[in-house]
Amino acid sequence: MDDTLQALKELSHLSHHPLNGGEFNGLNDVDGEEEEGYDTEAWETITKCFREVQSVLDQNRALIQQVNENHQSKLRDNLVKNVALIRDINSNISKVSRLYSDLSVDFCNIVHRRRELALFESKNRDDNVDTAES
């Protein structure tokens, strides 16, 4: 958990860089105040993934409800339909797993790029200071 918080802090700090579009504007936090200091790309990636995951979970909720109704009816045809419905549920669970895996990879790539950018900027600042002192 500490690594995640550290990564988010780094993303927050680096979001002010001009190559990242500067500060993100137009999004309010819970208190209605404008949120500052986070990485737009990271939040968009996370938000997109969570929306996709929620959509799949909503589908699963409906499928599970249908399976329960079919099971309670105890009709042979409905019980046979449950086999296909349960396969769909399992497929959706795999999809959610893939989405979270992709999110993890995307998030790590964003953090890696931001760290490289920070290192590059730090090196350039050091070079500029050395040049100015000469």
Side-chain angles (χ1 to χ4, degrees):
M1 187 63 158
D2 291 334
D3 291 339
T4 303
L5 290 174
Q6 181 61 32
L8 287 172
K9 286 179 184 177
E10 288 180 25
L11 287 172
S12 173
H13 171 70
L14 293 170
S15 68
H16 295 286
H17 188 274
L19 293 177
N20 292 331
E23 288 184 21
F24 182 82
N25 52 23
L27 186 67
N28 293 334
D29 67 11
V30 177
D31 297 328
E33 296 175 8
E34 198 163 299
E35 189 70 31
E36 294 182 18
Y38 60 86
D39 188 284
T40 305
E41 179 185 11
W43 285 117
E44 287 174 353
T45 299
I46 291 169
T47 301
K48 179 181 178 244
C49 178
F50 285 155
R51 284 186 180 140
E52 289 179 48
V53 166
Q54 188 60 53
S55 173
V56 174
L57 293 176
D58 289 342
Q59 290 172 11
N60 264 11
R61 182 183 306 117
L63 291 170
I64 290 168
Q65 183 178 1
Q66 185 62 48
V67 167
N68 286 334
E69 290 171 7
N70 289 347
H71 183 71
Q72 289 173 354
S73 76
K74 297 187 181 177
L75 296 174
R76 184 183 187 288
D77 289 342
N78 286 348
L79 295 174
V80 170
K81 289 177 186 176
N82 277 358
V83 173
L85 293 173
I86 291 169
R87 284 189 185 129
D88 288 344
I89 292 167
N90 286 334
S91 174
N92 284 347
I93 292 169
S94 294
K95 186 174 184 177
V96 167
S97 177
R98 281 192 309 275
L99 287 168
Y100 279 129
S101 177
D102 292 347
L103 174 62
S104 176
V105 169
D106 291 345
F107 188 76
C108 287
N109 287 338
I110 290 168
V111 170
H112 180 72
R113 284 195 312 265
R114 297 308 183 262
R115 286 181 179 167
E116 286 179 341
L117 181 61
L119 183 62
F120 176 76
E121 288 177 336
S122 175
K123 184 179 181 322
N124 280 346
R125 274 193 303 269
D126 291 345
D127 289 346
N128 289 339
V129 168
D130 290 343
T131 304
E133 291 176 353
S134 299

